[in-house]
Every structure is written in structure tokens, then in C-alpha cells.
Amino acid sequence: MHESAEFVHLHLHTQYSLLDGAIRLGDLVKKVKEHRMPAVAITDHGNMFGAMEFYLKCQSAGVKPIIGSEVYVAPGARSAKDAGNGGTSNYHLVLLCENMQGYKNLSRLVSAGFKEGFYRRPRVDKELLAAHSDGLIALSACLKGEVAYCCGRNHMEEAVAVARWYDEHFPGRYYIELQENTLPEQTIANERLLEVAKEVGLPLVATNDCHYLNRDDARAHEVLLCIQTGKTMNDPTRMHFSANEFYVKSPEEMAAAFSYAPEALTNTVRIAERCNLEFDFKTYHFPQYTKPADKSLDDVLEEQAWAGLDERLVSVRVKNPDLTPEQEQGYRDRLRIELDCIKQMGFPGYFLIVADFINWAKDHGIPVGPGRGSAAGSLVAYAIRITDLDPIPYNLLFERFLNPERISMPDIDVDFCQDRREEVIQYVTGKYGRDKVCQIITFGTMAARGVIRDVGRALDMAYGEVDKIAKLVPEVLGINLADALKQEPKLNEQADADPRVRDLLTTALCLEGLTRHASTHAAGVVVAPDVLEEFCPVYKDQKSGSITTQYSMKYVEKIGLVKFDFLGLKNLTVINNAVKMIRVGKTPDFDIAALRDDDEESYKLLQAGNTTGVFQLESSGMKELLTKLKPSCFEDIIAVCALYRPGPLGSGMVDDFIERKHGRKKVVYDLPQLEPILKDTYGVIVYQEQVMQIARTLAGYSLGGADLLRRAMGKKDPAEMAKQRDIFLEGAKKNAIDMKKAEAIFDLMAKFAEYGFNKSHSAAYALVAYQTAYLKAHYPVEFMAALLTEDMGNTDKVIKNISDCREMGIEVLPPDINASDLSF
């Protein structure tokens, strides 16, 4: 085994130094491994955006991750919006986390930079540094570091004083940073930095201030800086690096450059050895739910669930007067099983928090969706009014939502009326504290067409010319430039014919996929048990003033913070406004939640494909499917919502479903045990839940184990599939199932699991679809008025809605006026 190299990069900017760093994290880890470096640091400018992704990628590759940041330090107070006496608005300082205390302090610092010290850049000041220095190692940084800046101006007394201040506040943890980048001013600064280090007695450290991966990426990085600053490569005033040395150099290159200061190289490894930051990725950080002092969270959930079930059973009996005592006991038995599982997994607090803000919304007249995702399969969620769809009549499985055999956070996404969603977020913020609640960041990247346009602007090419080239990229979701060049010959033809186009595409390939900007996730909200900076840094958008996490959703969840999705759904607003009009006019006591699911007029409307404005069912392709399928029961609507996707449509299973429904193809069950599971879908496996039920019935799986099987089939993991096949066949053998049939059924399940949809989600959305269809069938004037009101910002939809109104005999315009002639 090769020995580790005696050098570690401690000053390095990844793609999360937005439009400044050009190093992708995967490429970085690969390069570090090639160079046998035992560790590497991330020190993006003023932020920790990529810290958690970096940490996990390094760990999985066996490279020690060092989390840090190159912070901007205000020359005076962070609140002062001007340059200091040195003529600069900020200095640079590299900070590296030694331990968890250092991580929390760095998190507080970079957060304060955005929230309190922002002036052109997110800045901290010496007051903050003095208060939050524990657990952090400081490097004096590049030529923009304060000590180097003073040295460059030959203000040596000031340089020494600054170095002494840092040495005092980072005792034994402050290093004078040297760089060798061929810049004349760096050579001068280095000589003086050595003097400062000697006078104050400070150790040295060698870095390379890496901004790109390889030397030949230097020009692409220059283009990236032009994109950042809005300049072109032909602009003599553009920001650029005066050398092409800022790449991830090998240990040998660094040793050659710093032969005069070998201790500066050795210290990089010593620093890496001191940095031992470890995260606990197994603990969830739940918000503090307010409960009576004499009760546990388990007690509170038990009370709410049992009381809620009693209330729900009143309406269940109204809809189903034939409900037997045995069936009612089935509800109670199911609730007991779910509650025991939720308590065993430690999630009562999560359910109580979600129920609290959903019921607050309902109590304040804010429309809330009946459910979405696998949470609709939970009877506990139904009992405490998180969801409004009874899971039992539709065979929705709790284990598809929570699985004791695969511990993971419950994930309850909630649809709110889009006009009032913000009120719910404000309620949660007020209840748990503004410093504990925020939305989640998301990052835009330079995709194939976008990067061509960005690079074209930076290369000063004509917009029209660049636009034509960008439009040659095939319109395929998620396509990259490499694939585009393979699929579209004209791109290569133009590159061969014109060196400028070749340069454009080569540079675009180099920059494609880099992070371009930060924005706010459409739905995700984090609620922490303590100040957010205890767990992750936060970011403040300077235009909107909104606060978000600095980690994207995946990594927020990874560190155990609890995330809730607050989604805005237009159709809930339409339903709510239509119901208000109905109550004012024709039917004062109309209750949309009390509808039976067997209304004949609603199914006639669906069968005719008259579904403009009907939730999930209004596309031309969906209308065609409805007229062929002719849904006649609620189960058919659930199936339609699940089947109208590329996989099922392309596989032929949709046609098979239709033929069987209408009796043109015989419904055959390979085993009689399959009939109760597949009867509602005419013998076709449509849902993931059916795969789970088949595994339980034929092979004796627990529902938790069946969910693991379902996941393995969905992921098509060969090793796991082989293991599950053996388990399934062994279980089937014990149940005296014919082995040939068992093998054929396993293969059939594996095939359909690829297309199988979550029935809980489909059923919840089918309920909204049914409600909108009912309103359109029985109260067309009120429904279309509500729909037109919501769509009036969309000309195409208004024209379609007016046309639909006319077909229904509702005149919203004088007969001699065409909707398409109107301007909006």
C-alpha cells in the first residue's frame, strides 16, 4: 500500500464559491485520491453551502474531510458600509473546524456574515471572531488576508499587530499562510510574511488557493469570472487571475515550490491531523412540541388518535350504514398497531407537530389537501386530521409510509391553498421561534443550453448566433452537452467549421453543471429544536430578505433536522371559492368533505372527457385515456392517476387494463389468493401496495419486509433481487404454492414494480380530482367562476376555460366575441 503524501490542500474553492470556484466535489475527491493525499479542506468564500455534501463524498472515498470557509472580515465593525482605513471593504481569513465546537462556531460566523455584516460580501468582524474562535484553526489567507495586505503595503508594524491579535484569539491555532503562484506581489508578500511569522513566533502553512482542478482549466475559470461579473473576455477591466497556478497541485509540485520552507508543507498534515470533526447522522432533532407537564408525547398522541378515530367513525357510518361491529373493530385494531409502531420508532412528536399546524390552518379557514404521498396510508394521520382520506376502504398500507424494518423519518408533505400557504408558515415561525424556523436553499446549475448562453455572452459572441447554437441542444429532460454532441451532428459541424464555436462548446463543457446561484426551495421548511446555527449555517437572500438553510434538502435531512413540505395547490383555492359561492347561493349547508364517491353525474363527466379544470385529469392525453377507460367507480379514478405516466403507457399495461375492464379480455388470476388483491385493477398490478400484499399473502412476508422487497424491485438491484427471490420462493414453498407459479409471479411483480405507483398518493389526489369533477358536474357556474378567477393571469387557460363554459351552455362573454380576440 502506498504511503500517504506529506501534503494536504487547506485552501480550496469548490463550485459552491458561486461563479468563482470551478471544482466539482466528485472530481476533487478523485484527484485527491490520485495524489495519495490523506485529507482535503473545503474553504468556499463566505459560506458553507457545500460542506455536508463534501464531507459525505470524502468519507465514502476514504479521504478525511476538513470543513472550513474563507470568510470575509470587515476592516471595522461589520455594520459599517464602507471601506476601512486600508481602503478595502473586507479582508480574507481561512477558518478550519477542529471539532464540533468549531463547526458550530463557523456556522454562527458565516450565518452572521449574511444576516448582520453583508456589504458586497457576507462579512464578519473581529468582535464576532473573538466570540466564536473556539475549535477553529485560522490561516492568514491570500494576498487579501489582512496580514498579507499590510505586508504588501509595507505596513510591517500593523502586520505584526494584526498577527498578534489573531494569535491571541486563536492561541496555538493561527498560521501564517504562504502561497507560490508566480505573482510578483506574492513573492514580495511572502518575504515579509516570513518576517512577521518569525517576530511573533507563528507557524507557517503552505497553500495554493485552488479555484479549478487542473492547470488547463485556467481559461475556463476566467470565463466563469466573466459570467459572475457580467464582463466579457475582451474587456480589459474584467476581473481575472494573473497566473494559471490556482489549481489542485500535486504534493510533488507543492514540495518543489516550497523547498525553502519544508515546515510549511509538514504543517498542512499536522493541521489535518488536528481536525477531527464527526457528525452523528443517526439522531433526529425534533422541534419541541408543547405538551402538558404530566404527560409524555406518547400519551398525547394516544389521546388525540383515539378521540379522533371516534369522531371519524361517525362520518364513516354515515357513508357506510352497513358498517359491522367487526369492521369497526378492524379500525381500532389498525390504530393500535400504527400507534405502537409510531411510538416504537420515536415519532409521536412529528405527528403532533404536523397535526397542530394542519388543524390550525383548517380552524382558520385555510383549505388543506386531503393528503399526498404515502402518509395517506396512515389511519393515525386520518384520525388526527392530518389527512382526510379513510385508508381502510381503499387498502392503503401504513407500512408503505412507515416501516419499522427500515427506520427513516416520516415524510408528510401537505398541500395548502396557494393564496394562504404563507400564513401557515408564519404560524409555525411564530410558534417555534424565528431563529428556529426557515426555508431550505436550492441551487441552480449551469445546464446544457444555459451554459452555452452564459459562455457565449462571456466570449462576446452575438446573442443571435449563440441562441441558435443553444437551440441545437435536443429538448430532452436533463440532457448534458456530451450527449447533445452525440445526438446532434450540427453542433459538431459548426464546431469544425468555426474555431469560435469550438471554443464556445469546449469551454461550456468545462463549466457545465457548476452551481450558478442560490434560491429558495418551493416548499421545504425546517423547524429545529434550538437556534438553527447549532445544526447548520443559514443564508439570507439580500433582495428578498428571506432566510434559508445553507444546505440543500438532502443534506438538511442527513444531519437530522426535521423538514416539512408546505406546498401551494391552486385547485384547493378553486374548490374553496366554489364552495363559498354554492353556500351563498343554492345550498347553504353544502359540505365537500361529506360527498359519497359514487355520484353518477360525476362519472358521466369523466367518461366524456369533459375535464378541463378537473384536478390531474385535464391534459389532452388524460382526456383521451378517460374516454377509453370510462371510469365508473372511485377505484378507477385512483388507477387513472397512477397509470397516466410514461412507464405504464409505454409498457402496454394501460391498454391491458382498459381491455380487461370492458370485458374484451378475460381477467385471469394465476392463483386464487391474488383475486382480492388485484380485483380492483382487473388483475393488473398497478400499485406498489399490491406488490407488498402479494409478498405477504403468498410468501409470508411481514408488511415491513414486503416494503423492502418493493424498494429492491424498484431500484433493480441485482444482488438484493437475488436475495429477495430466494426469500420469496422459500416463503411460497412453506405456503404450499406451486413453485413454477411462484417463480412466474415473482418475475411478474419485478416487472410491474418498475412501473408501480404509490396508491396512497394516487388515492389522495383522486379525491381532489373527484371533488372538482363533482363541482363541475353539479355546480358548473360556481366552479367555472372560481376556475376563471384563479386562472386569469394565464391567457391560454382563460381562453380554454371560456370555450369550456360555452360548451356547457354558460355564457361569460357576448356570443359575438371570441375569447381568443381578447387581450389580458
Side-chain angles (χ1 to χ4, degrees):
M1 184 159 173
H2 296 295
E3 286 187 19
S4 293
E6 285 294 308
F7 174 76
V8 170
H9 279 289
L10 298 176
H11 186 158
L12 184 144
H13 299 280
T14 75
Q15 66 184 68
Y16 288 101
S17 286
L18 305 184
L19 299 181
D20 185 6
I23 299 175
R24 297 172 185 82
L25 295 178
D27 296 341
L28 170 65
V29 173
K30 188 177 175 185
K31 186 90 164 177
V32 167
K33 291 280 284 184
E34 284 173 7
H35 288 322
R36 298 178 292 102
M37 288 182 271
V40 67
I42 183 172
T43 60
D44 285 315
H45 275 305
N47 73 64
M48 294 168 68
F49 293 153
M52 199 51 54
E53 181 183 348
F54 163 83
Y55 184 94
L56 291 164
K57 278 194 163 87
C58 284
Q59 266 205 334
S60 65
V63 172
K64 186 177 188 178
I66 302 168
I67 287 180
S69 179
E70 185 172 21
V71 299
Y72 299 99
V73 183
R78 60 188 180 277
S79 57
K81 308 298 186 194
D82 55 17
N85 292 332
T88 182
S89 60
N90 64 74
Y91 299 112
H92 296 191
L93 178 72
V94 173
L95 296 174
L96 306 171
C97 302
E98 271 192 306
N99 47 37
M100 184 52 71
Q101 181 61 50
Y103 170 80
K104 289 181 178 182
N105 274 329
L106 186 59
S107 175
R108 292 184 185 106
L109 287 167
V110 298
S111 301
F114 283 104
K115 293 198 294 185
E116 303 169 23
F118 199 94
Y119 174 61
R120 299 181 182 172
R121 297 281 186 271
R123 307 171 311 159
V124 299
D125 60 13
K126 287 180 180 168
E127 179 188 18
L128 280 172
L129 288 169
H132 301 296
S133 65
D134 287 354
L136 290 171
I137 292 172
L139 317 184
S140 64
C142 56
L143 290 171
K144 279 293 299 279
E146 190 174 3
V147 176
Y149 193 81
C150 293
C151 287
R153 296 161 68 91
N154 205 21
H155 294 173
M156 296 307 292
E157 285 185 17
E158 193 179 340
V160 168
V162 170
R164 288 193 196 282
W165 187 93
Y166 278 106
D167 184 37
E168 179 186 341
H169 290 88
F170 293 84
R173 293 177 281 117
Y174 180 63
Y175 291 76
I176 293 295
E177 183 174 340
L178 301 175
Q179 297 182 10
E180 283 295 338
N181 47 37
T182 74
L183 300 180
E185 54 268 40
Q186 183 76 57
T187 303
I188 294 166
N190 282 353
E191 291 174 7
R192 295 169 183 169
L193 285 165
L194 289 167
E195 292 175 29
V196 171
K198 187 174 181 181
E199 182 164 343
V200 183
L202 294 171
L204 303 171
V205 64
T207 75
N208 201 51
D209 195 2
C210 310
H211 280 72
Y212 39 92
L213 197 68
N214 304 304
R215 184 190 289 274
D216 54 12
D217 295 330
R219 185 172 179 281
H221 180 258
E222 282 195 64
V223 173
L224 186 69
L225 293 178
C226 287
I227 295 169
Q228 179 206 143
T229 56
K231 303 278 189 179
T232 73
M233 292 289 281
N234 295 330
D235 187 338
T237 66
R238 67 185 169 86
M239 173 187 173
H240 68 286
F241 288 14
S242 303
N244 60 353
E245 299 289 327
F246 299 93
Y247 62 97
V248 182
K249 291 185 175 178
S250 68
E252 293 76 20
E253 287 174 295
M254 293 300 289
F258 288 93
S259 56
Y260 63 91
E263 71 276 23
L265 297 165
T266 306
N267 281 339
T268 65
V269 180
R270 300 290 167 267
I271 290 170
E273 288 168 352
R274 290 177 65 174
C275 294
N276 294 294
L277 175 60
E278 292 187 11
F279 290 93
D280 171 14
F281 293 124
K282 295 177 182 174
T283 301
Y284 297 118
H285 307 294
F286 288 102
Q288 299 298 319
Y289 178 81
T290 306
K291 61 176 181 59
D294 61 335
K295 291 180 180 174
S296 68
L297 291 172
D298 289 4
D299 296 335
V300 177
L301 182 62
E302 283 265 354
E303 286 179 12
Q304 288 191 16
W306 288 112
L309 181 63
D310 286 340
E311 287 181 25
R312 289 293 198 184
L313 283 172
V314 173
S315 59
V316 169
R317 291 188 203 102
V318 171
K319 287 184 178 181
N320 181 10
D322 301 325
L323 190 75
T324 66
E326 292 78 18
Q327 288 172 323
E328 188 168 318
Q329 187 58 42
Y331 277 87
R332 300 189 185 283
D333 293 344
R334 165 87 170 251
L335 194 78
R336 177 76 273 149
I337 291 167
E338 288 193 21
L339 282 169
D340 288 346
C341 178
I342 292 165
K343 291 192 294 184
Q344 174 198 330
M345 295 174 79
F347 295 142
Y350 182 90
F351 279 79
L352 291 168
I353 290 161
V354 175
D356 175 69
F357 66 69
I358 285 179
N359 286 308
W360 179 88
K362 289 177 177 178
D363 293 343
H364 286 77
I366 299 172
V368 182
R372 71 178 346 253
S374 56
S378 168
L379 186 63
V380 169
Y382 179 60
I384 62 178
R385 296 173 69 202
I386 287 174
T387 58
D388 283 318
L389 183 73
D390 182 350
I392 288 181
Y394 307 111
N395 294 314
L396 308 183
L397 303 182
F398 173 72
E399 289 79 5
R400 175 63 184 82
F401 170 50
L402 272 190
N403 182 349
E405 297 178 46
R406 180 181 58 85
I407 303 292
S408 62
M409 268 290 292
D411 188 10
I412 301 176
D413 301 338
V414 189
D415 292 315
F416 294 100
C417 157
Q418 66 179 10
D419 293 347
R420 301 186 65 190
R421 166 184 171 270
E422 193 59 37
E423 291 177 48
V424 190
I425 295 175
Q426 289 306 316
Y427 165 73
V428 171
T429 303
K431 185 177 181 75
Y432 295 99
R434 193 162 292 280
D435 57 351
K436 297 172 188 170
V437 180
C438 75
Q439 290 180 262
I440 297 172
I441 205 166
T442 185
F443 297 101
T445 58
M446 291 195 277
R449 287 189 171 191
V451 75
I452 288 174
R453 291 191 171 100
D454 277 335
V455 171
R457 276 192 297 272
L459 295 179
D460 212 5
M461 293 174 69
Y463 171 79
E465 182 182 9
V466 174
D467 188 55
K468 283 178 185 174
I469 297 166
K471 284 177 177 173
L472 288 174
V473 173
E475 288 191 54
V476 177
L477 187 66
I479 193 168
N480 59 43
L481 272 181
D483 288 340
L485 285 163
K486 290 174 189 170
Q487 293 178 29
E488 179 48 73
K490 288 181 184 175
L491 283 169
N492 284 302
E493 287 169 15
Q494 292 203 19
D496 291 339
D498 188 339
R500 294 177 312 116
V501 177
R502 170 67 63 193
D503 184 30
L504 168 68
L505 293 175
T506 302
T507 308
L509 276 164
C510 194
L511 299 181
E512 183 186 21
L514 293 178
T515 310
R516 195 184 195 286
H517 60 269
S519 56
T520 303
H521 188 275
V525 175
V526 168
V527 186
D530 201 345
V531 177
L532 273 159
E533 287 89 329
E534 282 287 302
F535 308 97
C536 84
V538 298
Y539 165 78
K540 181 178 181 180
D541 184 284
Q542 300 306 311
K543 289 181 181 176
S544 68
S546 64
I547 304 286
T548 67
T549 57
Q550 284 197 25
Y551 300 156
S552 58
M553 186 173 292
K554 177 180 176 181
Y555 301 103
V556 163
E557 292 178 309
K558 193 72 184 175
I559 60 173
L561 283 173
V562 180
K563 176 269 299 181
F564 306 91
D565 272 352
F566 293 69
L567 297 122
L569 192 62
K570 177 197 83 171
N571 304 80
L572 297 179
T573 312
V574 171
I575 292 171
N576 186 54
N577 289 339
V579 169
K580 283 179 183 175
M581 286 186 270
I582 292 165
R583 287 175 180 167
V584 168
K586 302 171 183 172
T587 318
D589 58 350
F590 180 74
D591 183 1
I592 193 80
L595 298 180
R596 289 174 59 91
D597 64 9
D598 57 357
D599 178 67
E600 191 175 335
E601 292 303 312
S602 300
Y603 289 104
K604 283 181 182 176
L605 180 139
L606 295 175
Q607 290 165 7
N610 182 17
T611 52
T612 297
V614 175
F615 179 61
Q616 294 277 293
L617 307 182
E618 59 179 327
S619 72
S620 57
M622 183 62 91
K623 288 178 180 179
E624 185 183 347
L625 175 56
L626 288 167
T627 55
K628 286 180 180 176
L629 176 64
K630 301 205 177 300
S632 54
C633 61
F634 191 68
E635 284 284 353
D636 284 350
I637 305 176
I638 299 173
V640 163
C641 291
L643 288 169
Y644 190 70
R645 293 175 297 117
L649 289 168
S651 71
M653 65 186 282
V654 177
D655 294 330
D656 196 25
F657 186 97
I658 293 169
E659 292 299 296
R660 292 181 182 209
K661 173 177 169 57
H662 294 300
R664 295 188 288 266
K665 190 171 183 179
K666 191 175 179 184
V667 178
V668 179
Y669 303 100
D670 289 347
L671 292 167
Q673 296 96 317
L674 296 178
E675 183 170 356
I677 299 170
L678 301 178
K679 184 179 179 183
D680 289 334
T681 53
Y682 314 104
V684 178
I685 300 174
V686 174
Y687 309 117
Q688 296 164 352
E689 286 87 340
Q690 290 173 318
V691 170
M692 293 167 64
Q693 288 171 306
I694 293 169
R696 177 174 66 170
T697 303
L698 298 189
Y701 276 70
S702 67
L703 278 173
D707 188 50
L708 298 179
L709 168 66
R710 187 267 314 167
R711 283 171 60 83
M713 286 178 164
K715 289 184 175 179
K716 294 185 279 191
D717 179 340
E720 184 62 26
M721 283 290 284
K723 176 181 158 188
Q724 290 291 347
R725 186 186 185 88
D726 290 344
I727 295 170
F728 183 88
L729 294 177
E730 184 63 32
K733 188 176 181 182
K734 286 180 183 174
N735 285 339
I737 304 292
D738 178 271
M739 279 295 97
K740 282 193 174 179
K741 286 190 175 181
E743 288 179 12
I745 288 167
F746 185 89
D747 292 340
L748 190 70
M749 287 164 61
K751 175 189 170 188
F752 279 96
E754 189 177 333
Y755 308 121
F757 196 67
N758 178 345
K759 187 179 184 184
S760 295
H761 180 70
S762 197
Y765 268 22
L767 180 56
V768 183
Y770 179 78
Q771 289 173 344
T772 49
Y774 182 94
L775 290 172
K776 187 170 185 180
H778 291 273
Y779 301 96
V781 173
E782 292 83 353
F783 177 73
M784 294 307 294
L787 190 64
L788 278 161
T789 301
E790 278 312 299
D791 284 341
M792 57 192 208
N794 186 323
T795 304
D796 291 342
K797 285 198 171 185
V798 170
I799 291 170
K800 190 185 289 185
N801 291 339
I802 291 173
S803 173
D804 204 41
C805 285
R806 281 184 166 163
E807 286 179 21
M808 292 188 289
I810 304 168
E811 279 301 341
V812 292
L813 290 173
D816 57 331
I817 295 179
N818 290 318
S820 56
D821 294 334
L822 297 175
S823 59
F824 297 91

